[in-house]
Amino acid sequence: MRLKWIASVGVMATVFAAGVAVGQQRAASRREPQFENSEVMVWKSIVMPKQPLALHRHEHGRALISLNGGTLNVVDGTGKVMDVYKLEAGKAIWLEADKAGTQHADVNPGTQPVEVIVVQLKNDKP
C-alpha cells in the first residue's frame, strides 16, 4: 500500500513539473504565426514584461494592431531606446520598413503582457 502511495506521489510530481515547464514556455515573449500568402505575412507578438523579443529587422512596411494596449520600447543592440510606442487597445499604427543595416528589439516596460497583431507587406518595394 505504501509503495502505491509513493508511486502516485511521484507520478503527480512529474505531471506538475511538466505543467510548470509548459507554463514557463508560454510565459516567454514570442511571435505566433497567424496567416501568410503572396502579399502579406501576419503574426501575433506577445511581449512579456521585461522580456524583449530577440533582435530583428523588418524589410517591409507593416501595420501593428494593438489587442490590449500598453507601451513598447524599441531598442537597439546596446539597449538604447530608439522609439516608444504608446499603444491603445483596438487601434492600429503604420510602421515603415527598418533602415538598412539596423536591428531592434521590442521591450515591454510595463507589468502586463502587450499583445499585437502585425500585418507585414511582402511587395511594397518598387
Side-chain angles (χ1 to χ4, degrees):
M1 179 71 166
R2 182 178 170 148
L3 186 55
K4 279 186 176 180
W5 184 81
I6 292 172
S8 295
V9 169
V11 169
M12 289 190 311
T14 301
V15 170
F16 177 76
V20 168
V22 168
Q24 287 174 342
Q25 289 173 357
R26 295 284 241 169
S29 293
R30 62 196 179 277
R31 280 186 177 177
E32 297 176 350
Q34 301 290 307
F35 173 80
E36 185 171 356
N37 66 18
S38 63
E39 301 295 323
V40 298
M41 184 181 334
V42 181
W43 65 87
K44 179 180 182 179
S45 286
I46 302 168
V47 186
M48 301 301 286
K50 319 292 189 287
Q51 292 183 24
L53 288 173
L55 281 174
H56 61 280
R57 60 176 287 99
H58 298 276
E59 299 288 338
H60 303 282
R62 64 215 179 272
L64 185 146
I65 303 101
S66 176
L67 298 177
N68 63 344
T71 299
L72 285 178
N73 293 338
V74 180
V75 302
D76 66 13
T78 67
K80 177 183 172 190
V81 177
M82 302 182 319
D83 210 342
V84 176
Y85 302 138
K86 300 280 187 185
L87 305 171
E88 290 183 54
K91 302 285 184 173
I93 62 173
W94 176 256
L95 301 171
E96 295 292 337
D98 292 339
K99 293 179 183 173
T102 63
Q103 286 192 315
H104 70 273
D106 303 304
V107 179
N108 172 1
T111 59
Q112 298 296 315
V114 172
E115 297 185 16
V116 298
I117 295 289
V118 180
V119 180
Q120 182 168 277
L121 299 175
K122 286 185 171 183
N123 302 310
D124 61 333
K125 305 289 184 204

